């Protein structure tokens, strides 16, 4: 299968600590790199990740809280220093463009690449990005400011050629695309080899949902159909349930409820409050509801 990975750059919440960086992830799909949120320190974490981060083609910002976008101006400036010429597209709630333009006019006057700010409507679920192999949808979330998550869906792929059967019948490689598209094969002797013998089924499409800051939304799973890996913030444990409600955040237990309702394969936890010295308590509470819950951590990489 083609690579579809999530590289965790930061999984802490707003207050800086020595244990975690604020929110940032890189989604890697078939050689393309997309940055999800850009908290302070994202550049350092990109260096550590050993990703070829100058290849990042788009940035998706979930909302305008500093722990999700304070790193952006620094990154834009660094791309300039590194001689970037390729356009960078930034998807975000509308207000970001104005804020960033002011900073760019001051700090990034000589950029030799274009930064294209695309405002997204955080209230509706809709496709905002599409290429040959992928779509990205917004996911409306409920936070103290306009906020949305992003859902990366692979497009369905074609079946695989069974090389042993193809070689047996001496089928030329030039015919493989036709066979992947469903054609049978007729031998020189007139024998028809059914397509089902020539191929194995395509890989099931994978999907990754990045649900950044949000309070628990009981209907969120309805927007997550087909998601295989879900990241859902889990700022607090049950001991801070009221705090989660007050600040429009979720507990690990609530994140796990969304994962269970959505029927995903795995749940990634993150956006940990600095009041937890050890996130194992969050993991335990999540796993009671959804066993395949995992703690994210800086520099960890997950397959979707
Ligand atoms: Zn946050
Ligand atoms: Zn926030």
């Amino acid at each position: 299968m083609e690579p579809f990975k999530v590289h965790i750059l930061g999984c802490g919440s707003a207050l800086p600590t020595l244990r975690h960086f604020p929110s940032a992830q890189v989604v890697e799909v078939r050689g393309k790199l997309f940055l999800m949120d850009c908290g302070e320190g994202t550049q350092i974490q990109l260096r550590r990740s050993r990703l070829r981060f100058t290849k990042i083609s788009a940035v998706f910002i979930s909302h305008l809280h500093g722990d999700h976008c304070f790193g952006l101006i620094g990154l834009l400036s660094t791309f300039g220093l590194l001689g970037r010429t390729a356009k960078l597209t930034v998807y975000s709630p509308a207000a970001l463009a104005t804020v960033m333009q002011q900073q760019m006019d001051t700090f990034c006057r000589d950029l030799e690449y274009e930064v294209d700010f695309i405002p997204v409507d955080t209230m509706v679920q809709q496709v905002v990005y599409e290429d040959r192999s992928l779509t990205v949808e917004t996911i409306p979330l409920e936070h103290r400011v306009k906020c949305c998550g992003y859902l990366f869906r692979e497009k369905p792929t074609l079946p695989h050629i069974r090389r042993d059967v193809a070689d047996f019948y001496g089928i030329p490689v030039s015919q493989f695309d036709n066979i992947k598209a469903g054609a049978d094969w007729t031998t020189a002797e007139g024998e028809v080899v059914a397509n089902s013998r020539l191929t194995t089924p395509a890989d099931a499409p994978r999907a990754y949902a990045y649900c950044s800051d949000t309070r628990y939304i009981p209907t969120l799973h309805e927007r997550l159909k087909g998601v295989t890996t879900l990241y859902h913030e889990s700022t607090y444990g049950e001991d801070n349930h009221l705090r989660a409600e007050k600040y429009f955040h979720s507990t690990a237990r609530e994140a796990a409820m969304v994962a269970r309702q959505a029927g995903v394969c795995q749940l990634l936890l993150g956006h940990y409050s600095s009041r937890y010295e050890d996130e194992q308590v969050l993991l335990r509470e999540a796993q009671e509801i959804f066993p395949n819950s995992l703690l994210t951590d800086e520099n960890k990489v997950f397959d979707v």
Side-chain angles (χ1 to χ4, degrees):
M1 275 202 268
E2 297 280 347
F4 191 172
K5 296 172 191 283
V6 180
H7 302 256
I8 306 299
L9 306 180
C11 56
S13 59
L15 203 61
T17 69
L18 293 175
R19 285 179 297 116
H20 292 298
F21 283 83
S23 292
Q25 307 182 351
V26 170
V27 177
E28 176 188 0
V29 195
R30 302 185 195 196
K32 288 193 178 167
L33 302 180
F34 305 95
L35 181 63
M36 313 304 299
D37 281 336
C38 188
E40 270 180 282
T42 294
Q43 294 191 64
I44 293 168
Q45 288 297 87
L46 283 168
R47 291 272 185 204
R48 279 203 182 114
S49 73
R50 302 195 171 276
L51 289 162
R52 288 183 56 205
F53 67 90
T54 48
K55 278 178 61 191
I56 290 172
S57 56
V59 182
F60 293 83
I61 300 291
S62 62
H63 66 297
L64 272 66
H65 277 161
D67 56 322
H68 297 258
C69 60
F70 277 172
L72 190 54
I73 188 64
L75 186 64
L76 296 183
S77 167
T78 298
F79 279 153
L81 295 175
L82 293 173
R84 182 181 184 116
T85 53
K87 183 172 91 169
L88 181 74
T89 310
V90 180
Y91 299 85
S92 73
L96 186 71
T98 320
V99 175
M100 292 306 298
Q101 200 55 58
Q102 215 166 20
Q103 295 183 56
M104 287 168 67
D105 290 345
T106 308
F107 299 115
C108 306
R109 262 183 275 179
D110 302 316
L111 291 186
E112 287 182 23
Y113 67 98
E114 184 191 343
V115 185
D116 192 8
F117 288 95
I118 309 280
V120 299
D121 185 343
T122 59
M123 304 297 282
V124 294
Q125 181 163 19
Q126 62 185 3
V127 173
V128 293
Y129 172 90
E130 180 167 14
D131 63 27
R132 275 175 55 199
S133 54
L134 180 76
T135 58
V136 182
E137 297 160 29
T138 47
I139 311 168
L141 297 175
E142 295 178 14
H143 194 41
R144 303 194 301 285
V145 296
K146 283 182 180 170
C147 183
C148 66
Y150 295 97
L151 200 170
F152 284 68
R153 284 186 198 281
E154 266 183 329
K155 289 184 179 174
T157 51
L158 294 170
H160 302 283
I161 299 286
R162 285 192 56 185
R163 266 324 268 263
D164 54 337
V165 182
D167 289 348
F168 179 81
Y169 288 104
I171 302 173
V173 173
S174 62
Q175 293 304 307
F176 284 9
D177 281 348
N178 291 336
I179 292 170
K180 284 184 179 182
D184 298 328
W185 175 252
T186 308
T187 66
E189 294 75 33
E191 183 194 347
V192 176
V193 185
N195 184 270
S196 59
R197 287 184 57 207
L198 297 167
T199 57
T200 52
D203 301 317
R206 296 163 290 179
Y208 174 62
Y210 172 76
C211 294
S212 90
D213 298 11
T214 185
R215 69 170 168 191
Y216 172 62
I217 305 172
T219 55
L220 185 57
H221 64 276
E222 292 167 9
R223 299 191 183 276
L224 304 177
K225 295 213 166 74
V227 169
T228 45
T229 297
L230 168 66
Y231 167 89
H232 191 293
E233 73 123 291
S234 55
T235 308
Y236 297 111
E238 282 309 297
D239 55 337
N240 281 293
H241 189 96
L242 293 177
R243 191 175 292 273
E245 264 176 35
K246 181 173 172 194
Y247 293 107
F248 287 68
H249 281 298
S250 299
T251 63
R253 194 169 182 277
E254 289 169 333
M257 281 159 61
V258 175
R260 187 173 69 183
Q261 291 156 347
V264 301
C265 301
Q266 58 181 353
L267 168 66
L268 309 183
L269 302 170
H271 200 267
Y272 312 125
S273 163
S274 58
R275 51 189 76 221
Y276 297 97
E277 280 289 322
D278 179 359
E279 289 94 21
Q280 288 297 324
V281 57
L282 303 179
L283 181 64
R284 276 196 300 274
E285 289 178 3
Q287 284 181 335
E288 279 173 23
I289 306 287
F290 185 77
N292 203 18
S293 301
L294 303 163
L295 288 177
T296 58
D297 203 357
E298 279 71 13
N299 312 312
K300 264 197 187 174
V301 182
F302 297 88
D303 281 308
V304 170

